Amino acid sequence: MLNLEEKERNKLTLEQRIDLALNISKYRAIETINYLTKRGGVPGKKFPQRTRKPPFSNKIYHYFPGLYFAPQSMWVYGQSHHWSAGAFPALLWKVQQVETDSSMKKYWQKYAKNWSEPLRSINFDKMKDVTINNVFVFREWYENSNGIEKKQQLDTIFNATKKLAQPYSNGKGGFHEKIGAFGNQRKANSYNQQTYWHIFIDHTINVEQLLWSAKHNPDLVETELWQNQAISHIKTIGKALQTQQKSNNIGVWQRLYFDDDLNASTYGQLLFSEGKQGWQDNSIWSRGQAWFIYSAAITYYYTQDSEVLELAKGAINYFLDNLSYHDFYSRVTNDKDYIAPWDFDYAKEKNRYTEKDSSASAIVAAGILKLLKTLPKSDPDYTKYVNSVENILWDLTSLAYLPDTDEPNASILKYGCYVHPKAVVGSSIEMCRHGVIWGDYFFVDALIEYKDFLENNDQ
């Protein structure tokens, strides 16, 4: 049974709800495959981004299917160059991991390959969202192939990693060796026209591209370089934020600007931030917080670096403490839950009923579960993290955020928040009340990670 009333769903254990959620996810993925294939003419041409309600009439969408005026519950889609394009094929590869029916496993692999292949030719000189469009996609293909086909996937991953790892010099390359972080030179939007070293927090998950590649690379020189770059990036950001906030807890903004002037006394230091998709320049945008949590957690998982662990915990504890100590109510259920508001400070200072971002909580759950793989059970926060993940997954698998299959909803999760109108003037409130493909991917990833966690801890 995929369709249960909330009171019936609440009778299930969390483990049963996880299984239900995975089955609903498979149903939604099949619907999305069929929908996009029909729209694109062939599989793998159109990539889902987010769902959205139309401002006028659903009819306009049938005449102009590429517009953002998609009917509510239907996907707005684009091409393979969109930053989130890799989330859908990555989701399909995740689903095939837990598929037990051999014929359906072949089905998932077939369509995962259809949507993965167009991403192979992405130019990562321009596209900076490397992990979500490369290693999330091609590592699963690598794990499910042999011979020449397997080598092809590894080559695709290594080629992207080498692009990512290029040291910055004369306007090229993305890793600033003296500052110790990935980014690019950029003029800030809100300040003077001076050029700074700019770090976009969304791209921090690129550390996983480096770390997975380092683990699978026989070249020890490259392996050491890639691992050191990933560790340095997390430490540079985390320590700078700690210094700014004068606390072990770490709150994150979307854009960070470091002094890139060799002659300045503040060279290499974090000077200021821009909130952009957050409420204000110094407010804590929950999805930015989630990106850092996931990135620091996965870095610790691969490296067991003690400083990285403390930074990861500082960011996780900020996120969880805010959920625990503040009454952030859901507009949907009119009750408190463990789904993060789109911006913590806006929720605390302006409106505790403000819109949620289910994708932020999904990313955090996936990140904490990866941390728990190598975090000693003796750690004082271990039990807190397990309980918090279970609370988040319980709420994400509620009917409020995970609709039954009889509800016409294309995405797996509801109430993802891409951009909030209080942050970006002119954006629609619907941008905070729809499904987002990256939220769906991290949700499925968290479901699978939790099942693995239970299995490994039952032994």
Side-chain angles (χ1 to χ4, degrees):
M1 285 288 293
L2 298 183
N3 301 317
L4 298 172
E5 297 286 341
E6 185 67 14
K7 62 181 180 180
E8 294 299 318
R9 195 180 285 197
N10 285 338
K11 293 178 182 178
L12 302 177
T13 65
L14 178 58
E15 192 171 1
Q16 290 171 327
R17 286 165 74 114
I18 298 294
D19 290 334
L20 173 65
L22 284 170
N23 286 328
I24 291 174
S25 299
K26 291 177 183 179
Y27 178 89
R28 297 295 185 199
I30 291 171
E31 281 197 325
T32 298
I33 287 171
N34 294 336
Y35 176 77
L36 294 174
T37 300
K38 182 177 180 181
R39 292 290 176 183
V42 292
K45 188 174 181 180
K46 302 294 184 182
F47 290 78
Q49 299 170 2
R50 58 187 180 272
T51 61
R52 193 175 179 187
K53 185 179 178 180
F56 311 119
S57 164
N58 288 355
K59 292 181 180 179
I60 192 170
Y61 182 72
H62 297 291
Y63 294 107
F64 304 102
L67 292 178
Y68 288 114
F69 309 135
Q72 188 174 16
S73 84
M74 300 307 292
W75 285 112
V76 173
Y77 53 76
Q79 305 299 320
S80 60
H81 58 263
H82 188 263
W83 74 265
S84 67
F88 184 58
L91 186 155
L92 298 181
W93 283 114
K94 284 290 180 185
V95 169
Q96 71 84 35
Q97 276 186 23
V98 293
E99 182 59 69
T100 56
D101 182 275
S102 59
S103 62
M104 282 304 298
K105 197 171 188 71
K106 291 178 181 177
Y107 170 90
W108 295 119
Q109 290 180 357
K110 171 189 172 182
Y111 285 108
K113 290 178 180 179
N114 285 145
W115 264 274
S116 299
E117 190 59 45
L119 305 180
R120 198 183 300 279
S121 59
I122 288 178
N123 180 2
F124 287 113
D125 286 328
K126 297 179 179 179
M127 161 75 80
K128 300 304 180 184
D129 297 280
V130 185
T131 288
I132 200 168
N133 287 296
N134 190 268
V135 78
F136 277 5
V137 176
F138 294 103
R139 71 179 173 194
E140 303 296 342
W141 194 339
Y142 168 83
E143 297 291 348
N144 288 276
S145 57
N146 298 288
I148 295 174
E149 184 181 359
K150 191 179 189 75
K151 182 180 182 302
Q152 182 189 26
Q153 312 323 314
L154 197 61
D155 288 345
T156 297
I157 294 171
F158 284 176
N159 288 339
T161 305
K162 289 175 182 178
K163 287 273 190 183
L164 173 64
Q166 287 179 346
Y168 177 78
S169 179
N170 298 322
K172 295 183 179 180
F175 186 77
H176 198 302
E177 292 179 312
K178 293 186 177 180
I179 291 178
F182 290 94
N184 62 288
Q185 283 196 326
R186 187 178 189 275
K187 294 179 180 179
N189 291 337
S190 306
Y191 293 83
N192 57 43
Q193 291 301 299
Q194 181 180 341
T195 299
Y196 303 91
W197 188 250
H198 161 250
I199 296 174
F200 194 55
I201 206 69
D202 307 47
H203 295 161
T204 301
I205 64 166
N206 286 344
V207 295
E208 190 164 6
Q209 180 83 26
L210 296 158
L211 294 166
W212 188 95
S213 298
K215 183 178 179 180
H216 292 80
N217 190 352
D219 186 325
L220 297 181
V221 174
E222 283 186 329
T223 293
E224 183 178 14
L225 172 66
W226 295 347
Q227 181 169 295
N228 288 342
Q229 285 179 331
I231 292 172
S232 175
H233 184 76
I234 293 298
K235 288 183 178 181
T236 298
I237 295 174
K239 290 178 179 179
L241 291 168
Q242 277 185 335
T243 300
Q244 288 258 320
Q245 295 165 13
K246 299 180 176 63
S247 169
N248 287 329
N249 283 348
I250 298 174
V252 179
W253 310 300
Q254 186 174 32
R255 295 181 184 269
L256 308 177
Y257 291 89
F258 287 72
D259 195 333
D260 194 30
D261 183 355
L262 279 168
N263 299 316
S265 60
T266 53
Y267 176 72
Q269 295 181 22
L270 175 59
L271 298 180
F272 58 90
S273 62
E274 287 181 336
K276 299 304 289 182
Q277 291 185 4
W279 172 40
Q280 295 177 336
D281 286 346
N282 61 350
S283 65
I284 308 305
W285 174 52
S286 65
R287 194 163 72 251
Q289 187 79 12
W291 289 134
F292 184 80
I293 287 171
Y294 182 92
S295 305
I298 202 68
T299 301
Y300 177 71
Y301 166 73
Y302 276 101
T303 67
Q304 279 80 67
D305 185 287
S306 59
E307 286 186 57
V308 170
L309 174 60
E310 291 309 308
L311 295 171
K313 291 178 65 176
I316 292 169
N317 290 339
Y318 181 97
F319 189 95
L320 298 181
D321 290 350
N322 272 275
L323 287 182
S324 299
Y325 300 149
H326 296 279
D327 293 337
F328 298 143
Y329 283 79
S330 168
R331 288 178 182 267
V332 184
T333 64
N334 202 36
D335 200 359
K336 293 186 290 185
D337 61 27
Y338 265 77
I339 311 306
W342 68 279
D343 186 290
F344 281 113
D345 290 307
Y346 185 85
K348 286 187 284 187
E349 297 179 27
K350 290 289 186 179
N351 181 10
R352 65 180 181 175
Y353 284 92
T354 193
E355 284 73 23
K356 301 296 189 100
D357 185 0
S358 59
S359 74
S361 287
I363 295 165
V364 168
I368 295 176
L369 284 162
K370 287 174 171 59
L371 185 79
L372 289 171
K373 289 181 175 182
T374 49
L375 186 68
K377 290 185 178 180
S378 59
D379 186 280
D381 288 319
Y382 184 90
T383 301
K384 169 186 173 179
Y385 292 168
V386 173
N387 291 339
S388 296
V389 163
E390 291 177 342
N391 286 332
I392 291 171
L393 291 179
W394 182 267
D395 285 333
L396 284 176
T397 56
S398 69
L399 202 57
Y401 296 97
L402 177 69
D404 284 334
T405 56
D406 60 358
E407 181 175 331
N409 195 73
S411 60
I412 298 168
L413 287 180
K414 297 170 68 175
Y415 297 102
C417 186
Y418 195 169
V419 179
H420 196 280
K422 289 292 183 182
V424 180
V425 176
S427 64
S428 166
I429 193 67
E430 292 301 326
M431 294 288 274
C432 241
R433 297 179 182 175
H434 53 195
V436 291
I437 191 60
W438 56 92
D440 286 356
Y441 166 76
F442 282 101
F443 177 59
V444 171
D445 183 40
L447 298 177
I448 295 172
E449 290 286 2
Y450 184 74
K451 287 177 70 71
D452 289 345
F453 172 79
L454 291 181
E455 183 179 334
N456 292 332
N457 283 273
D458 282 345
Q459 296 175 351

